């Protein structure tokens, strides 16, 4: 049984979902209005206009026989009215289809853009704690849920409202008692349906959450299929997937049982309504002098409105499913952006490339637990200096580069580039001043040329080739089946680790930014390739500020300066030769890696 907290959360999520959907609908209000008006006309003409004219025909026929030569003169106006009603009704139906399709297409574009922008502008902490496959699934469901809601409003719910209006307007002047009883029963039907709808809303959210988790498990296993196979863990992954799949079945079963219960209750009310209309139709003429035409209208209109109310049960079930499916992305859209541009953020331009970390305080939060990484951290890197960051794992090396890129925001102190506080600059302008090559190369499922030119899409083919040559990548690229047009596969899976890394380095070379950040950028290369790439990086770093994170100390030994981090603090700082002579932490690390001994 759901707790009050779960029900309140589901209701709050529903309101937020409607908020986002209304934002999109409001942009296309003309199409939305056209859809509503055409639906109103469609129901009015075909569901109510036809029976009304037919009731007049029945009354005319019941009044007495019409001579055969007077059929068209007597019934001609009715025939013309029926033809006109059906022509206009069908036109309204096609107009309804047009407005529906156009609105769904336009809204899907806007919702996809909204979701993409929200996910792309979220912090790395946000993405680190979520399955990529789950986010993709949530985005698809968020878009399809809007279409489901729109269709549900247009077909079951708007016709129900129209049916009530037309039934009251046409029958109330003729049989007010009957209309009063009918409306009371329909109100009871609507209240019971809504009450039961609210009771099971959270079940749909839970079912959608289970389905998203299932998608995430599948995505995680497929993305790491090599690890699954090489460790023979197919059965283990099958177990995780099966557990998630069984959770989906269990939650869908609960949703089904609740929906069936609601359907049985509302069906009983529908039977009661039809029993009431049967009594009135049977005795209407005898008790109240109701004409045959009006009796036909009573039955037809009551059957129509009751049938429409039957669809409400299905419509509410679709509402439940839609809001449940949309809940995951709604929560993601509501998630505060941990790294956001200031309202008056300026475009940063690194003229020289000097970097200053002043009084940095930073806590890493994982699972609600804070871990202090930096406390009052200071570091000055002059323009054009090549600095290596070394230290044991967890010392804060990579974290420092991520703070420089504003992939996470500091809690205390400030980071400046050429005296400009990066917190006051736009993230986009900041990152366009820094060429970043991480330990794991980041390649798209696109051509080699597109991957190299990613940081500078206007580059010519000659510039792309030159960047590849300087990164020692040209030779192997030209041996690929389609050369620079070869598609690398998802995350560059078609290439070796060293090849992927050299393409990533070529991308940084082509970007030609004033600041260069290398995070274990040569770790995947063999010794020969590393020497060639190091030569290319030496050329690239000349005249630029470079921050190089490395565990392999030979990578940083030739740099201008080496900063040794330990527990988020600078414990040693200086050129390679001085640190070796000092015999401290760096010298100890060097000796372990090279097997050398200090004199």
């Amino acid at each position: 049984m759901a707790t009050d907290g779960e029900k309140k959360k589901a209701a709050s999520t529903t309101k937020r979902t409607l908020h986002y959907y209304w934002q999109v609908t409001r942009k296309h209000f003309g199409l939305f209005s056209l859809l509503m008006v055409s639906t109103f006309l469609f129901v009015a003409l075909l569901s109510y206009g036809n029976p009304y004219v037919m009731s007049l025909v029945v009354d005319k026929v019941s009044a007495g026989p019409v001579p055969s030569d007077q059929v068209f003169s007597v019934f001609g106006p009715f025939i013309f009215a029926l033809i006109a009603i059906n022509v206009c009704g069908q036109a309204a139906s096609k107009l309804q289809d047009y407005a529906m399709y156009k609105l769904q297409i336009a809204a899907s574009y806007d919702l996809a853009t909204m979701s993409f922008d929200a996910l792309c502008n979220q912090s790395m902490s946000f993405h680190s704690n979520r399955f990529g496959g789950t986010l993709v699934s949530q985005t698809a469901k968020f878009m399809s849920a809007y279409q489901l809601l729109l269709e549900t409003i247009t077909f079951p719910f708007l016709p129900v409202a129209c049916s009530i209006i037309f039934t009251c307007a046409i029958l109330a002047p003729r049989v007010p008692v009957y209309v009063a009883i009918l409306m009371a029963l329909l109100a009871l039907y609507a209240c019971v349906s809504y009450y039961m709808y609210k009771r099971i809303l959270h079940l749909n959210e839970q079912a959608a959450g289970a389905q998203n988790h299932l998608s995430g498990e599948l995505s995680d296993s497929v993305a790491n299929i090599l690890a699954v196979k090489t460790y023979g863990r197919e059965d283990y992954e099958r177990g995780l997937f099966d557990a998630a799949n069984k959770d989906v079945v269990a939650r869908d079963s609960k949703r089904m049982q609740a929906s069936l219960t609601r359907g049985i209750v509302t069906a009983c009310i529908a039977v009661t309504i039809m029993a009431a209309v049967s009594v009135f139709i049977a005795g209407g003429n005898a008790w109240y002098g109701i004409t045959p035409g009006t009796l036909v209208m009573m039955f037809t209109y009551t059957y129509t409105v009751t049938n429409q109310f039957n669809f409400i049960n299905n419509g509410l079930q679709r509402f439940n499913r839609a809001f449940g499916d949309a809940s995951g992305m709604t929560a993601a859209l509501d998630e505060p952006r941990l790294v956001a541009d200031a309202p008056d953020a300026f475009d940063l331009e690194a003229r020289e490339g000097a970097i200053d970390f002043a009084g940095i305080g930073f806590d890493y939060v994982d699972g609600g637990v804070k871990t202090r990484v930096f406390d009052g951290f200071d570091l000055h890197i002059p323009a054009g200096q090549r600095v290596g960051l070394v230290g044991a794992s967890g010392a804060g090396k990579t974290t420092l580069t991520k703070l420089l890129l504003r992939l996470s925001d500091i809690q205390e102190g400030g980071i400046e580039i050429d005296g400009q506080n990066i917190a006051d600059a736009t993230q986009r302008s900041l990152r366009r001043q820094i060429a970043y090559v991480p330990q794991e190369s980041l390649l798209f499922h696109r051509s080699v040329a597109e991957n190299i030119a990613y940081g500078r899409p206007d580059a010519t083919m000659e510039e792309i080739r030159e960047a590849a040559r300087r990164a020692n990548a040209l030779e192997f690229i030209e041996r690929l089946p389609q050369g620079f047009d070869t598609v690398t596969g998802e995350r560059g899976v078609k290439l070796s680790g060293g090849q992927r890394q050299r393409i990533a380095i070529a991308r940084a070379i082509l970007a030609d930014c004033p600041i260069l950040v290398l995070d274990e950028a040569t770790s995947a290369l063999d010794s020969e390739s590393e020497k060639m790439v190091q030569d290319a990086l030496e050329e690239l770093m000349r005249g630029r500020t470079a921050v190089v994170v490395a565990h392999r100390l030979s990578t940083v030994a030739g740099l201008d300066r080496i900063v040794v981090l330990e527990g988020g603090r600078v414990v040693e700082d200086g050129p390679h030769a001085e640190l070796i002579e000092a015999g401290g932490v760096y010298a100890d690390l060097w000796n372990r890696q090279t097997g050398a001994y200090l004199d």
Side-chain angles (χ1 to χ4, degrees), residues 4-45:
D4 290 340
E6 288 175 328
K7 292 178 181 178
K8 288 180 180 178
K9 180 184 176 184
S12 174
T13 303
T14 298
K15 290 179 182 178
R16 294 299 300 160
T17 299
L18 288 173
H19 165 74
Y20 291 119
Y21 284 167
W22 175 244
Q23 281 185 331
V24 170
T25 305
R26 189 170 53 188
K27 289 177 62 178
H28 309 286
F29 192 72
L31 284 173
F32 180 73
S33 300
L34 179 61
L35 178 61
M36 297 298 105
V37 171
S38 60
T39 303
F40 182 87
L41 291 174
F42 170 72
V43 175
L45 293 169

Side-chain angles (χ1 to χ4, degrees), residues 399-562:
T399 301
L400 200 63
T401 64
K402 289 183 176 179
L403 294 178
L404 176 62
L405 286 157
R406 278 198 75 196
L407 299 178
S408 296
D409 264 345
I410 57 177
Q411 286 90 35
E412 302 164 16
I415 303 174
E416 294 184 350
I417 293 178
D418 289 340
Q420 304 165 88
N421 193 325
I422 65 172
D424 298 329
T426 61
Q427 296 173 64
R428 183 175 301 178
S429 67
L430 166 67
R431 292 164 190 161
R432 286 181 175 174
Q433 308 301 311
I434 303 172
Y436 176 62
V437 182
Q439 181 175 2
E440 182 182 353
S441 53
L442 308 174
L443 300 187
F444 294 89
H445 184 59
R446 300 169 192 171
S447 71
V448 170
E450 286 177 289
N451 272 288
I452 293 176
Y454 191 72
R456 194 177 142 205
D458 60 341
T460 65
M461 196 61 220
E462 283 305 312
E463 290 172 325
I464 293 172
R465 288 179 61 84
E466 177 62 15
R469 185 192 64 77
R470 293 171 60 190
N472 192 34
L474 183 59
E475 184 179 353
F476 85 77
I477 291 174
E478 290 182 334
R479 289 200 307 266
L480 294 174
Q482 285 83 41
F484 281 90
D485 294 326
T486 302
V487 176
T488 62
E490 187 177 7
R491 297 183 181 179
V493 69
K494 294 182 180 180
L495 305 177
S496 70
Q499 290 172 335
R500 291 197 297 270
Q501 200 69 339
R502 278 177 274 172
I503 288 178
I505 292 171
R507 178 192 294 168
I509 291 172
L510 186 61
D512 196 22
C513 298
I515 298 174
L516 181 65
V517 174
L518 306 174
D519 188 354
E520 295 285 353
T522 61
S523 61
L525 303 178
D526 55 65
S527 299
E528 183 178 353
S529 294
E530 180 185 11
K531 176 63 172 66
M532 294 181 178
V533 171
Q534 286 285 19
D535 292 341
L537 291 178
E538 284 289 337
E539 178 187 344
L540 174 64
M541 287 188 288
R542 189 174 297 115
R544 291 178 173 82
T545 306
V547 179
V548 183
V549 175
H551 283 101
R552 191 186 299 176
L553 300 185
S554 59
T555 305
V556 298
L559 299 182
D560 302 325
R561 174 185 173 197
I562 298 169

